[in-house]
Amino acid sequence: MYKPVWFPKQEIIEETRLYRLMQKLGFADYDAFYQASIKDIAWFWDEVVKDMSLDWTVPYREVVDLSDGIAWPRWFVEGKLNIAVNALDRFVADPASRHRLALIWEGDDGSTQKHTYRDLWMAVNRCARGLRELGVKRGDRVALYLPMIVENVVAMLAVSRIGAIFIPCFSGYGAEAVATRIQGCEAKWLITADGYTRRGKVITMKEEADRAAALSPSIKKVIVVRRLGRECAWHETKDVGWDELSKEMEPLSFAETDASEPLMIIYTSGTTGKPKGTVHVHSGFPLKAAFDAGYAFDVGPGDVLFWVTDMGWMMGPWMVFGSLLMGSTMLLFEGTPDHPGPDRLWQLVEKHGVTHLGVSPTLIRSLMKEGESWVNGYDLSSLRVFGSTGEPWNPEPWLWLYERVGQGRVPIFNYSGGTEVSGGILGNHFFKPIAPCGFAGPLPGMDADVWDETGNPVRGEVGELVLRQPWVGMTSGFWQDRKRYEETYWQRWPQTWVHGDWVAIDEGGQWFITGRSDDTLKIAGKRLGPAEMESVLVDHPAVSEAATIGVPDVSKGESAVCFVVLKSTQAASEGIEEALIRFIGERMGKALKPKRIFLVDELPKTRNGKILRRVIRAAYLGEETGDLSSLENIRAVEAIRKLADKNKS
């Protein structure tokens, strides 16, 4: 565990929205406020939504109803609000905010667009009218298979405005992955693009969308954004051009949606079985995203929020609702943060005045390899916060980002929860010291703890991350699969959400995630999070990245096998694998030395940089790898399979 290096300043604390809320509710001490937030969750979330000044067309009668059990809460009972209206209309109605920037877009080629709240509101109204004219009805499912372009946000809000349900799909999916999601919820409509550019190359989408539609009998129409204006097949009876949607400028009446009415189904990939369709409602995901963005990260008017993500991952919709409901600006980026050079990310920060930058540890590790010269010379003074999610850190890249890029001025807010959570369980904020790789603790309203195998709280050693009470944003189950939802989160201990993260709380109260609990190794009776061994490996001067898995072992029960990416080909000297095994033994003890270390060119990752250890393990052991649709580099899986086959022979 690591000691804090960033400490809050009182003058900064007092400028935050969370501090103002605490003051209004009579709290001067953060810990007392947090305890109150979990002692009475109805009181807390009631005060939060009142502080957000949301527009309810019908006020709610009760904050939360738990009559169906803790796994099935109903929030804001009998209340009605449309979240698209809250994201735009209430700001457009105010002359002081209607011309405020809502969205900045930058393409792969550096071209930019800027849209005010009024601009976005007009585009959403036109799209919503066009969708309604096509026959999209309240409750219909609309799949969004789009690149990171403005139309993605417009479609999301337009679908929400008319009371339909959107399904965001990762822009890098192939047809089969898109079709799986369409079929899973019987979506009738698919919105896509002819393509986009990535690293200067054309990525086709329409062809994949056509194949997905052909595999999905429920699809009635395919709406196509001509992003590139390229020639592609056109089906006169099924395809509709985005620009052909209604051009009416008048506002469209919105659906008066119930607070608990579904808004979005976002699918999560698993290593086995079909992807899970997590259901989110109008008063769920957007409000949790907005609370975390606005009160933990302190995103508000004048701020520019930029998370390096895709709209098919939860952080994409999180950025949309978190920025708009808080009256701030989002930056949408079509390209990659290291193209055409490793300084692209820092160019974006300087050019657009980014205040809140969300990254993954893997992204920072890749940029760190290129050296500080790519950062030097850029004006990063606009930055207030680095956000980080998706995977555990190791100290070297964390400290590089904090000390070299942020100059010890910009705090790194670790943030961890998930798609089913609608945001964070654990996080950092402006009220507590921040340690490298660590979390200050649970966010307000999240009644989290760490339990051992017997269900008792544990400190100083790793245990299961659990939640003892529901929260706003908790998924309303999996789409048409109540049993799978209950088995996934509620089966191990009564009335307790088991999240699946392996966490330790140190003596100073800092929380550290060591990996997924189902990734955990147990070597000679000792539990080990894979991140612990990976952190040791990347401390070696020759190692760039590492992944650790557990494999069956006759004598130890389980042994570690590691896969390592070296910093350079020169580092691949004879005997490097054995040297790395000794290095781990010296740092962690001989009993924990890995059984084997394999050198690989790359590790299997999603586009947002998450390393998929369970896929690595399945490939190495020759087991079924499950859904690989979220992988950016499936060739890395094949390479591991070949290594395993060679090792067996």
Side-chain angles (χ1 to χ4, degrees):
M1 306 303 176
Y2 310 102
K3 301 298 182 184
V5 297
W6 181 89
F7 298 89
K9 296 180 179 178
Q10 189 63 29
E11 60 269 26
I12 294 177
I13 290 174
E14 293 178 4
E15 292 174 353
T16 65
R17 183 166 188 154
L18 183 56
Y19 180 82
R20 294 195 297 272
L21 175 62
M22 288 169 50
Q23 291 282 294
K24 185 168 72 173
L25 299 177
F27 291 90
D29 176 69
Y30 175 82
D31 289 331
F33 172 72
Y34 169 75
Q35 290 299 324
S37 78
I38 60 172
K39 181 180 180 182
D40 188 343
I41 58 173
W43 163 83
F44 171 71
W45 290 108
D46 184 38
E47 293 295 346
V48 166
V49 298
K50 286 191 293 190
D51 196 65
M52 287 182 180
S53 301
L54 299 173
D55 285 343
W56 296 83
T57 53
V58 175
Y60 48 90
R61 175 180 58 80
E62 183 181 8
V63 178
V64 62
D65 176 3
L66 298 178
S67 59
D68 291 334
I70 189 174
W72 301 98
R74 288 192 300 132
W75 291 93
F76 309 111
V77 180
E78 296 181 10
K80 293 181 183 292
L81 87 166
N82 184 294
I83 206 63
V85 172
N86 278 277
L88 295 175
D89 295 52
R90 64 192 177 115
F91 295 107
V92 174
D94 183 354
S97 57
R98 68 176 57 139
H99 299 301
R100 184 187 302 160
L101 271 183
L103 188 153
I104 303 168
W105 173 81
E106 179 159 319
D108 186 57
D109 63 357
S111 57
T112 60
Q113 298 176 14
K114 295 185 178 182
H115 300 262
T116 65
Y117 273 78
R118 185 173 183 276
D119 295 335
L120 194 55
W121 174 78
M122 291 171 65
V124 167
N125 273 279
R126 285 196 297 271
C127 180
R129 186 179 296 278
L131 292 175
R132 187 175 285 179
E133 289 170 353
L134 277 180
V136 181
K137 301 189 299 296
R138 186 169 176 171
D140 279 355
R141 275 77 70 197
V142 183
L144 309 182
Y145 176 46
L146 288 161
M148 292 292 277
I149 54 177
V150 176
E151 289 85 353
N152 206 327
V153 176
V154 171
M156 184 183 300
L157 295 171
V159 170
S160 307
R161 189 176 186 88
I162 60 180
I165 304 166
F166 67 89
I167 299 92
C169 299
F170 169 46
S171 61
Y173 280 152
E176 288 76 12
V178 177
T180 297
R181 286 147 180 81
I182 292 172
Q183 294 164 12
C185 63
E186 296 179 298
K188 295 180 180 179
W189 318 89
L190 173 61
I191 304 179
T192 189
D194 57 357
Y196 60 102
T197 60
R198 181 171 169 79
R199 298 187 179 277
K201 297 179 180 178
V202 170
I203 307 296
T204 60
M205 290 190 85
K206 177 61 163 58
E207 291 79 358
E208 294 298 318
D210 285 345
R211 288 178 55 217
L215 293 168
S216 309
S218 62
I219 289 294
K220 291 184 174 182
K221 296 287 184 183
V222 178
I223 300 154
V224 185
V225 178
R226 294 181 176 89
R227 160 74 183 95
L228 301 178
R230 55 181 284 269
E231 289 292 326
C232 51
W234 198 262
H235 307 282
E236 295 298 334
T237 59
K238 182 166 278 190
D239 293 346
V240 179
W242 175 272
D243 293 337
E244 296 161 27
L245 294 177
S246 177
K247 295 180 173 59
E248 292 287 336
M249 301 291 285
E250 289 82 18
L252 177 77
S253 60
F254 58 88
E256 193 179 53
T257 43
D258 293 333
S260 57
E261 194 162 337
L263 162 80
M264 171 179 70
I265 303 168
I266 185 166
Y267 282 83
T268 63
S269 296
T271 52
T272 59
K274 291 183 178 180
K276 306 182 293 285
T278 59
V279 180
H280 292 290
V281 301
H282 278 257
S283 68
F285 185 104
L287 302 195
K288 170 62 172 167
F291 175 77
D292 289 2
Y295 294 81
F297 285 87
D298 200 47
V299 173
D303 288 324
V304 178
L305 171 62
F306 172 37
W307 212 284
V308 182
T309 185
D310 186 275
M311 214 56 75
W313 312 136
M314 65 146 286
M315 292 308 297
W318 184 96
M319 178 171 63
V320 172
F321 291 114
S323 63
L324 294 181
L325 289 174
M326 289 294 103
S328 63
T329 305
M330 78 184 86
L331 171 60
L332 208 65
F333 179 46
E334 179 190 47
T336 50
D338 60 351
H339 176 79
D343 56 347
R344 182 67 180 273
L345 186 62
W346 319 122
Q347 287 178 6
L348 287 162
V349 171
E350 179 183 78
K351 181 178 179 180
H352 301 295
V354 172
T355 57
H356 295 71
L357 174 63
V359 297
S360 69
T362 293
L363 171 59
I364 297 306
R365 280 191 285 266
S366 67
L367 296 179
M368 183 178 71
K369 285 191 302 185
E370 305 293 338
E372 292 174 39
S373 62
W374 293 100
V375 183
N376 297 336
Y378 286 100
D379 179 5
L380 307 182
S381 59
S382 62
L383 283 172
R384 293 178 54 213
V385 173
F386 290 120
S388 167
T389 193
E391 58 179 324
W393 283 93
N394 54 288
E396 187 182 6
W398 194 101
L399 289 167
W400 184 82
L401 180 65
Y402 176 67
E403 295 174 348
R404 305 302 182 188
V405 181
Q407 300 295 309
R409 176 185 66 84
V410 184
I412 300 174
F413 283 14
N414 269 4
Y415 182 62
S416 184
T419 304
E420 297 90 333
V421 176
S422 299
I425 299 171
L426 305 179
N428 288 322
H429 43 71
F430 286 103
F431 290 74
K432 292 277 188 177
I434 297 174
C437 314
F439 300 81
L443 294 170
M446 307 302 287
D447 189 6
D449 204 349
V450 178
W451 287 3
D452 64 16
E453 290 179 310
T454 62
N456 291 310
V458 62
R459 300 294 182 267
E461 58 184 87
V462 292
E464 289 276 6
L465 177 64
V466 299
L467 286 149
R468 292 171 292 211
Q469 296 189 77
W471 62 93
V472 165
M474 192 175 92
T475 181
S476 297
F478 300 155
W479 182 257
Q480 297 181 338
D481 200 345
R482 181 185 181 100
K483 183 180 178 182
R484 188 180 181 192
Y485 164 66
E486 291 177 341
E487 289 175 347
T488 300
Y489 291 106
W490 300 98
Q491 195 172 50
R492 186 166 180 187
W493 289 299
Q495 303 294 298
T496 304
W497 172 290
V498 180
H499 191 61
D501 276 342
W502 208 242
V503 175
I505 307 173
D506 72 7
E507 67 282 357
Q510 291 282 325
W511 296 48
F512 295 86
I513 293 178
T514 63
R516 296 292 294 171
S517 56
D518 49 6
D519 289 340
T520 301
L521 292 71
K522 192 169 185 178
I523 302 173
K526 178 177 173 55
R527 292 192 181 277
L528 178 73
E532 296 178 62
M533 190 168 289
E534 292 160 3
S535 291
V536 171
L537 280 167
V538 296
D539 274 345
H540 191 282
V543 176
S544 171
E545 293 181 312
T548 298
I549 62 169
V551 300
D553 184 281
V554 174
S555 59
K556 294 184 177 181
E558 194 171 30
S559 287
V561 171
C562 305
F563 298 85
V564 166
V565 179
L566 298 178
K567 289 181 178 177
S568 67
T569 54
Q570 288 76 22
S573 58
E574 186 176 348
I576 183 65
E577 296 97 331
E578 290 75 15
L580 291 173
I581 290 173
R582 289 195 302 273
F583 184 73
I584 291 173
E586 292 165 2
R587 296 287 190 94
M588 303 186 73
K590 290 183 179 180
L592 295 179
K593 286 196 304 183
K595 185 176 183 178
R596 284 294 306 270
I597 287 182
F598 294 98
L599 304 183
V600 294
D601 294 330
E602 55 186 344
L603 298 170
K605 297 176 188 173
T606 62
R607 183 177 289 188
N608 63 343
K610 184 182 291 187
I611 297 169
L612 298 181
R613 296 186 190 91
R614 284 171 289 174
V615 170
I616 295 173
R617 186 177 189 275
Y620 181 74
L621 295 177
E623 299 172 349
E624 176 59 46
T625 52
D627 178 23
L628 299 179
S629 56
S630 63
L631 271 183
E632 167 120 288
N633 53 346
I634 197 167
R635 61 186 177 274
V637 180
E638 297 304 320
I640 289 169
R641 282 199 181 104
K642 289 178 182 177
L643 274 176
D645 291 341
K646 184 179 178 182
N647 184 49
K648 290 172 188 173
S649 60

